[in-house]
Amino acid sequence: MSLLNGAATRISQYGRDAVLSASPVRLLTMLYDRLVLDLTRAETALEAQNWPVAWENLRHADQIVAELASSLRLDAWDGADGLLQLYTYVADLIVYGNIDRDADRVREAISLVEPLRQTWHEAAAALPAASAEVGQGRDRDLGVA
């Protein structure tokens, strides 16, 4: 049992280190990846009527959307207000999906978030490697704080 606990601790530490050393653009793509994962897990849990798992994943997804909204630089580009409105709508879908135990609302949230996730991954891949690694330069051009 101790061997398993040690491995879990190392994996957890690795994940923490990956987040702490990531550039702003990489953090953004990691948040979107986790958001889609949380929503997908919640949808599956809702369909299986596994309310505690659905609640936990939707709660975490809601926290991610709140972080995305709070880190959005509204003065960085003209589309920021629209993205903030989208985040607000997705947050509403998550909350009401959780309250009403409605997998359709969670599915709608996934359908809205997935294209954004893909777009941010494409934008991150288009950055020069040095800029992406250092976390400066063009990260700011993407509206990432």
Side-chain angles (χ1 to χ4, degrees):
M1 190 71 158
S2 177
L3 182 63
L4 290 177
N5 286 340
T9 300
R10 285 190 300 281
I11 290 169
S12 178
Q13 182 64 42
Y14 174 78
R16 234 182 340 273
D17 290 348
V19 169
L20 293 174
S21 65
S23 72
V25 170
R26 179 67 183 124
L27 285 173
L28 184 65
T29 58
M30 291 168 79
L31 282 172
Y32 269 101
D33 289 345
R34 182 58 194 255
L35 177 57
V36 170
L37 178 64
D38 287 341
L39 290 171
T40 302
R41 287 177 175 170
E43 178 188 18
T44 301
L46 286 170
E47 289 170 346
Q49 298 183 358
N50 187 341
W51 314 130
V53 170
W55 180 86
E56 182 62 31
N57 282 281
L58 289 172
R59 184 191 60 79
H60 193 252
D62 189 51
Q63 290 172 338
I64 292 172
V65 172
E67 178 62 30
L68 290 169
S70 70
S71 66
L72 185 61
R73 291 182 40 213
L74 297 175
D75 61 343
W77 57 293
D78 293 339
D81 285 326
L83 185 55
L84 181 59
Q85 290 175 0
L86 182 65
Y87 287 155
T88 301
Y89 182 68
V90 169
D92 287 347
L93 288 171
I94 291 168
V95 169
Y96 289 108
N98 205 1
I99 291 170
D100 297 335
R101 298 177 172 176
D102 186 350
D104 289 338
R105 287 186 175 159
V106 176
R107 197 170 303 112
E108 182 180 355
I110 294 168
S111 74
L112 294 170
V113 170
E114 181 58 35
L116 290 171
R117 185 185 79 79
Q118 288 296 332
T119 300
W120 281 115
H121 274 278
E122 291 169 12
L127 290 174
S131 175
E133 288 174 16
V134 174
Q136 296 181 6
R138 296 190 53 196
D139 287 356
R140 289 188 186 94
D141 295 339
L142 292 173
V144 179

